[in-house]
Amino acid sequence: QKMMEEENISDLLVKHQKDIEAIRNTLTKIDSTFDMDNAWILRYLIASNIDKAIPRLKEMTQWRKINNLNNILDQLGSGLNPWEFPYHDKVQIHLPHNSFIGITKYQSPVAVDYCGNWNVKKALQWVTLDQLFEYQRYKLEYMRYIAHNLSIESGKIKKWFLIIDMNGMSLSNYDSSVLKLAKHFSFISQEYYREVVGKIFIINCGATFQFLWGLVKPFLNTRTLSKCEVKNHEYEEEFLKFLDFKRLPTRLG
């Protein structure tokens, strides 16, 4: 059950000190406005070596500027809640999810996406695909913000425990736009929010899910796939290694 987030930040900073300094020096020369704390750089070094981390951090900082994501970060710092995100009410009706339901036994944050109850067709009658992409950016910034704050408070690398519930899934609620959404979300989360998620439990997975999984799986890199556990109905025993069932929503526990 031991997960990466149990490692002490102070130990990892000592271990990667030279690489962090090299990254900061290199990126500051490229962009004098480069400003990222060591704990966040550390996540990129956990995910890859320095040669890969530098171009990925450069690309990530440029992407953040283009999408003005520091503005979202400022809003979160000022108390913005997930239910106040743009388009939240419209998204939540047809793409239900819980942005935060509690913490694991290892003090990591937990979120749930009820993908089995998603109706992408109906959602796109109320919001555009670009608006869904914007909502995703808010959601990912929230996850980044919570994981980072918990890490600083605890002194350990904290990552999200994500539950994806496929109960009730019907292909009639999906069309080609769901693949665009999945591809976009997979790319953004894997490239620009590295090591924010530590474990992904996909539960209540029937035959219909297996078809969709075959289409989505190619969007996921090896590291992300290694974090995924696909379960049908017998997931309670595995959950108990990480979670207190008393804290789970009744539809899960």
Side-chain angles (χ1 to χ4, degrees), residues 106-196:
Y106 300 97
Q107 307 302 302
S108 294
V110 184
V112 185
D113 281 324
Y114 300 104
C115 295
N117 295 131
W118 281 18
N119 192 320
V120 180
K121 289 181 180 179
K122 285 188 177 180
L124 290 173
Q125 293 175 11
W126 295 93
V127 293
T128 66
L129 200 56
D130 284 340
Q131 288 172 334
L132 279 181
F133 291 163
E134 181 183 354
Y135 184 82
Q136 286 181 327
R137 291 195 291 272
Y138 267 84
K139 189 176 177 181
L140 284 167
E141 279 298 294
Y142 173 77
M143 294 177 72
R144 177 190 191 273
Y145 179 77
I146 295 297
H148 186 67
N149 285 352
L150 286 175
S151 297
I152 298 303
E153 291 172 7
S154 66
K156 297 179 180 180
I157 296 293
K158 295 296 179 183
K159 306 177 193 176
W160 282 81
F161 187 100
L162 181 59
I163 302 169
I164 300 178
D165 183 9
M166 302 306 302
N167 187 42
M169 180 186 176
S170 171
L171 286 180
S172 64
N173 294 336
Y174 293 81
D175 58 16
S176 60
S177 58
V178 74
L179 291 181
K180 292 180 182 178
L181 194 64
K183 185 176 182 180
H184 181 271
F185 187 77
S186 299
F187 178 81
I188 296 301
S189 58
Q190 290 176 132
E191 292 300 317
Y192 304 141
Y193 295 88
R194 288 183 166 261
E195 299 304 306
V196 169

Side-chain angles (χ1 to χ4, degrees), residues 60-110:
M60 185 265 284
T61 53
Q62 292 173 338
W63 177 79
R64 291 184 65 82
K65 285 183 180 180
I66 291 171
N67 290 282
N68 196 23
L69 293 188
N70 282 341
N71 176 53
I72 298 178
L73 204 56
D74 290 340
Q75 291 179 59
L76 291 168
S78 298
L80 181 71
N81 292 299
W83 56 86
E84 297 172 313
F85 292 170
Y87 324 114
H88 174 270
D89 291 347
K90 294 176 181 178
V91 172
Q92 179 71 347
I93 291 172
H94 301 297
L95 307 175
H97 57 279
N98 284 101
S99 296
F100 179 80
I101 64 168
I103 56 175
T104 67
K105 295 177 180 179
Y106 300 97
Q107 307 302 302
S108 294
V110 184

